[in-house]
Amino acid sequence: MSALGLQSVDWQISLNEQAHHTDKFSSQELIVRRGQLFYMSLTVYRCLDCNRSATFTASTGPYPSESAKTKAVFPLSNSISGTGWGAQLLHNNNNVLSISILSPANAPIGRYTLSIEISSEGNDSTTQLGTFILLFNPWLQADSVFISNHDEREEYVQEDAGVIFVGRTSYISTIGWNYGQFEEGILNICLSLLDNSLNFRRDPATDVARRDDPQYIGRVLSAMINANDDYGVVSGNWSGNYVGGQDPRNWNGSVEILKQWQISGFRPVRYGQCWVFAGTLNTVLRSLGIPSRVITNFNSAHDTDKNLSVDVYYDPRGWPMDKGSDSVWNFHVWNEAWFARTDLSPSYSGWQVLDATPQERSQGVFQCGPASVVALREGNVDWDYDMPFIFAEVNADRTTWIYNAWTGGLKKNSSNTHTIGKNISTKAVGSNARMDVTENYKYPEGSSQERQVFEKALGKLQPSMSLHATSTRIFREEREPSISGNFKITDILTVGKEVNMALMLKNLTGDSKTVMVNMTAWTIVYNGTLVHEVWKESVSLSLGPNEEIQHPVKIAYALYEKYLKADNMIRATAVCEISDETEVVVERDIILDNPTLTLEVLDQAHVQKPVTVQILFSNPLDELVKDCKLIAEGSGLMLGTLKIDMPNLRPREQSKVDFEILPTRSGTKQLLVNFSCNKFSAIKGMLPIKVVE
């Protein structure tokens, strides 16, 4: 730079990143948050005097322009005024210029190039100073992602590990997830996600300009995390057959997924299911500075025709039928991101649903949200974005039908208004406890407000339906059955053991009944996909007046072992008929427990000091277990993932594995382990480890 002669640039990375809460990122590049001063110093060969003036240019994207706010030109002055870009000369000592720079609180986020132009007596010269990354700023009230509570900011922006709730309504369990948003290279991958989107490919200038808005970025990311329409990250698979990829249950976190996607040249990573999409999206949102959390909805409806009713079909033999495209998932996982909704009134700001799992197209693309949680609770299904689908996930009615393929006859068996959208859960702030957020999404089940909101939503979706028509659908016009039934668990449910249940039937009348019962059991994937029938039985049972009986159901391990998927789920169904008329359909999904992994750290963990972790596993089966593999990872505890091939395990044999980790950061960190073999697809272990300096 001839006018000044630039000797060096000091970005003051340590000072800036501590002030901007970006010091956890593993990066040599300056990372700052918008709307907040950052500091740098320039060492020059000549002093900057009154005959010379300096002007900075900050630009982002391939086509920067001042009109699109992707380029800013601003002078170096003695003070910064206004809320736009600005630069202030703080000191000029011995040819070292100390400078502060301010970005607007609504600047587009991304990688910026900074240059300086020196004008001296009619001669101009420009020098590139380098690049820096600008992120959203949840610490700044003027930023649309501002979140006022300190503990919530720490949890929803800074926490790099967590738990996700899975299972079923009456059997909720947790899996650990390593978000790893600060790991080396992850922020760069998150920025390249935006540059691979359909929007960027179609119109890069407009796309980059719109990156000032978390609402826009959230919607783009909900499309990019799945691989359905674009160069997205994860390919979904719910078939139960994961040949050519990884069983979704085997992932421990997002880091390996995002790195695989980048290394492969942005080819989809195989395979994911809902918690994988949500865990990965959570990583990207937190990395960019958008507060976010993972939400699990139990008994989640997939309503394809916007009638707020999910239709489930059986044939008279008790076989579940793949008829119609509606379904009920045992659980479904999505994200909430925190930001202001500038397109709605302020009361609808705050938590917004984003769902990266590819279920239905929105504006021609598999994307979903943002949908205001407050607006969902009020039934405003005609607002942006994808409100009808998400409202149905937590509010739809469930209708059971019996379909006779021989006659083509279709009979409505029951309608239930309160089984969908149960125990909506997220991780509590500061602990792995479950926090129930169901009342954020809907009024208490069965309350007058809940039914009023349902009627309001249905009226907006299907205005031609009369109140009488909706009422008859909601409040069941079919006659009450003369018997009731349920499946009762009679023994511990464990993989490798016989499943023991009882079908409980009760006569609700004063007359004797003869009941023909057709029972089946299928292994399933958690979203209800049928894998294989593993058991069936037909039996005639006699019930005296008001009598209750129980009929034993036993499913041997040999029947289900080949067909059980990593979800460990079996669906038992009983279609109960009296005089050739279906009276009641009894259904229960059960989850079998895996054997446990025992994890222990053998010494106090210190930063940059190796420490040994020991894992114990006992083969509970009376047969050889082969193809044993361990995968371990944990942000702040080890770099990347550790993969260990283990020897075969004889019947009832215990295995012990020791390995070293090298913690890089202090605090309580989470070690995650996945064990898989030919008999157990995914056994999870999780160990919190306190690391001291």
Side-chain angles (χ1 to χ4, degrees):
M1 186 165 60
S2 57
L4 279 178
L6 181 67
Q7 189 174 344
S8 64
V9 180
D10 180 359
W11 291 97
Q12 299 187 23
I13 287 176
S14 178
L15 171 80
N16 284 317
E17 293 193 344
Q18 216 160 358
H20 286 249
H21 309 279
T22 57
D23 49 317
K24 291 184 178 179
F25 283 101
S26 302
S27 173
Q28 303 304 308
E29 194 172 10
L30 176 65
I31 302 166
V32 291
R33 298 190 186 276
R34 62 186 191 174
Q36 185 174 336
L37 286 168
F38 67 90
Y39 300 91
M40 63 189 301
S41 56
L42 306 179
T43 303
V44 295
Y45 290 112
R46 300 178 197 167
C47 67
L48 189 66
D49 56 31
C50 57
N51 296 318
R52 298 183 178 91
S53 63
T55 304
F56 287 97
T57 299
S59 60
T60 185
Y63 305 106
S65 92
E66 290 183 81
S67 62
K69 298 182 179 176
T70 52
K71 177 182 177 182
V73 180
F74 49 99
L76 178 62
S77 60
N78 292 321
S79 64
I80 297 175
S81 59
T83 56
W85 287 89
Q88 180 180 1
L89 180 61
L90 301 173
H91 304 290
N92 183 357
N93 295 330
N94 299 324
N95 293 0
V96 177
L97 310 180
S98 296
I99 296 164
S100 66
I101 292 178
L102 180 67
S103 64
N106 62 349
I109 60 113
R111 178 172 278 106
Y112 279 76
T113 299
L114 187 67
S115 62
I116 187 170
E117 181 184 75
I118 303 297
S119 298
S120 175
E121 299 172 350
N123 295 318
D124 298 340
S125 63
T126 301
T127 301
Q128 299 278 349
L129 299 176
T131 62
F132 64 93
I133 293 173
L134 192 67
L135 301 179
F136 290 105
N137 194 346
W139 284 261
L140 184 72
Q141 192 163 0
D143 197 311
S144 55
V145 301
F146 173 67
I147 193 164
S148 59
N149 184 287
H150 169 271
D151 292 343
E152 291 182 352
R153 278 198 306 267
E154 289 300 304
E155 179 71 46
Y156 300 136
V157 182
Q158 299 288 73
E159 184 57 66
D160 60 2
V163 294
I164 299 173
F165 296 95
V166 297
R168 57 188 299 268
T169 304
S170 59
Y171 194 84
I172 296 173
S173 57
T174 59
I175 55 171
W177 195 264
N178 180 34
Y179 299 119
Q181 67 266 33
F182 303 118
E183 295 297 296
E184 189 170 359
I186 293 301
L187 178 55
N188 279 330
I189 296 171
C190 295
L191 294 174
S192 65
L193 253 172
L194 298 174
D195 290 344
N196 276 277
S197 73
L198 287 176
N199 292 20
F200 182 84
R201 290 167 184 273
R202 289 170 181 154
D203 186 352
T206 301
D207 174 74
V208 173
R210 294 190 68 185
R211 293 181 189 177
D212 63 335
D213 183 4
Q215 178 175 312
Y216 174 78
I217 283 185
R219 188 157 173 81
V220 167
L221 291 175
S222 78
M224 278 303 298
I225 297 300
N226 70 69
N228 285 48
D229 310 287
D230 38 41
Y231 291 78
V233 179
V234 179
S235 181
N237 183 340
W238 288 265
S239 69
N241 177 6
Y242 309 116
V243 174
Q246 186 151 302
D247 187 320
R249 288 269 177 177
N250 290 152
W251 300 111
N252 285 323
S254 316
V255 174
E256 188 180 4
I257 292 169
L258 289 166
K259 287 187 172 179
Q260 269 194 36
W261 177 71
Q262 182 195 45
I263 291 166
S264 70
F266 309 121
R267 290 194 178 92
V269 177
R270 299 176 179 172
Y271 291 104
Q273 290 170 356
C274 66
W275 68 92
V276 179
F277 293 107
T280 306
L281 178 55
N282 216 51
T283 296
V284 180
L285 290 167
R286 288 185 184 180
S287 181
L288 299 178
I290 301 174
S292 62
R293 61 189 188 183
V294 174
I295 301 289
T296 304
N297 178 39
F298 291 93
N299 286 359
S300 189
H302 184 159
D303 175 26
T304 57
D305 48 13
K306 294 187 179 181
N307 68 347
L308 299 188
S309 177
V310 173
D311 300 306
V312 180
Y313 298 89
Y314 292 94
D315 75 2
R317 297 170 298 169
W319 278 36
M321 298 190 70
D322 191 14
K323 180 179 170 59
S325 50
D326 289 353
S327 58
V328 179
W329 296 27
N330 274 284
F331 66 90
H332 179 48
V333 185
W334 59 68
N335 300 81
E336 286 177 359
W338 179 277
F339 50 81
R341 284 296 294 267
T342 53
D343 58 328
L344 303 174
S345 69
S347 60
Y348 296 101
S349 294
W351 290 119
Q352 312 291 321
V353 172
L354 294 168
D355 192 346
T357 300
Q359 294 180 91
E360 297 292 324
R361 291 186 185 276
S362 172
Q363 297 175 324
V365 176
F366 282 100
Q367 59 189 346
C368 186
S372 163
V373 174
V374 175
L376 285 166
R377 191 172 195 250
E378 301 303 328
N380 295 316
V381 293
D382 50 340
W383 294 4
D384 288 339
Y385 293 86
D386 309 304
M387 295 284 286
F389 184 76
I390 301 167
F391 183 86
E393 285 184 304
V394 299
N395 286 290
D397 291 346
R398 187 183 194 274
T399 306
T400 303
W401 301 84
I402 303 297
Y403 177 70
N404 191 323
W406 293 101
T407 64
L410 185 64
K411 184 192 172 191
K412 184 177 182 178
N413 179 257
S414 65
S415 184
N416 197 315
T417 64
H418 56 266
T419 58
I420 299 297
K422 309 294 281 186
N423 301 80
I424 304 175
S425 306
T426 193
K427 176 189 175 298
V429 173
S431 81
N432 285 344
R434 186 181 77 87
M435 182 166 75
D436 194 293
V437 294
T438 307
E439 289 205 0
N440 292 359
Y441 281 83
K442 56 184 179 179
Y443 289 97
E445 202 74 63
S447 68
S448 59
Q449 297 133 302
E450 185 254 347
R451 283 290 101 181
Q452 285 165 10
V453 167
F454 188 97
E455 297 260 6
K456 170 184 170 181
L458 194 60
K460 287 174 180 286
L461 293 174
Q462 300 188 347
S464 60
M465 289 185 73
S466 68
L467 183 62
H468 171 72
T470 63
S471 297
T472 53
R473 190 179 68 74
I474 295 165
F475 297 113
R476 281 183 56 177
E477 59 190 348
E478 65 273 3
R479 65 180 176 81
E480 290 296 325
S482 60
I483 58 171
S484 66
N486 67 286
F487 281 110
K488 177 184 172 184
I489 307 301
T490 57
D491 201 356
I492 295 169
L493 297 172
T494 308
V495 177
K497 297 280 196 302
E498 181 178 73
V499 172
N500 286 291
M501 297 187 292
L503 175 65
M504 312 292 294
L505 289 181
K506 184 172 185 179
N507 186 352
L508 303 176
T509 73
D511 303 321
S512 295
K513 301 288 182 186
T514 300
V515 185
M516 185 65 200
V517 183
N518 294 312
M519 291 180 284
T520 63
W522 291 69
T523 53
I524 62 168
V525 180
Y526 77 98
N527 71 337
T529 299
L530 302 172
V531 177
H532 201 280
E533 187 190 49
V534 294
W535 173 87
K536 63 181 175 182
E537 181 184 0
S538 294
V539 62
S540 179
L541 300 173
S542 297
L543 285 165
N546 299 304
E547 183 185 9
E548 183 173 20
I549 63 168
Q550 64 178 55
H551 177 77
V553 171
K554 296 180 182 294
I555 308 171
Y557 175 55
L559 293 176
Y560 69 78
E561 67 162 316
K562 291 180 183 174
Y563 306 110
L564 195 68
K565 296 302 166 185
D567 308 82
N568 288 358
M569 285 188 179
I570 294 175
R571 173 170 294 170
T573 307
V575 174
C576 305
E577 296 180 335
I578 297 174
S579 304
D580 295 328
E581 283 290 313
T582 301
E583 280 293 302
V584 70
V585 177
V586 182
E587 180 187 88
R588 179 157 185 172
D589 291 351
I590 61 167
I591 302 175
L592 309 184
D593 283 335
N594 276 324
T596 55
L597 291 176
T598 303
L599 279 65
E600 183 183 4
V601 60
L602 300 184
D603 202 352
Q604 172 67 60
H606 292 84
V607 173
Q608 296 298 341
K609 184 179 176 184
V611 65
T612 300
V613 173
Q614 186 173 89
I615 298 178
L616 300 176
F617 175 72
S618 294
N619 175 12
L621 304 179
D622 293 319
E623 56 186 299
L624 187 73
V625 164
K626 300 183 289 187
D627 306 322
C628 302
K629 291 182 177 63
L630 268 179
I631 304 174
E633 72 175 89
S635 286
L637 292 173
M638 53 199 299
L639 294 176
T641 57
L642 178 69
K643 299 182 180 180
I644 302 171
D645 289 324
M646 295 168 55
N648 294 343
L649 285 172
R650 295 188 299 276
R652 307 287 171 178
E653 182 185 6
Q654 185 181 71
S655 174
K656 183 174 76 172
V657 176
D658 291 354
F659 61 89
E660 277 191 349
I661 58 173
L662 184 66
T664 55
R665 293 200 302 273
S666 61
T668 300
K669 303 299 172 188
Q670 187 165 276
L671 181 68
L672 298 168
V673 175
N674 182 81
F675 172 82
S676 62
C677 62
N678 66 324
K679 296 295 181 183
F680 301 99
S681 304
I683 299 176
K684 297 292 186 183
M686 181 167 60
L687 180 67
I689 297 177
K690 187 174 182 181
V691 181
V692 298
E693 287 290 350

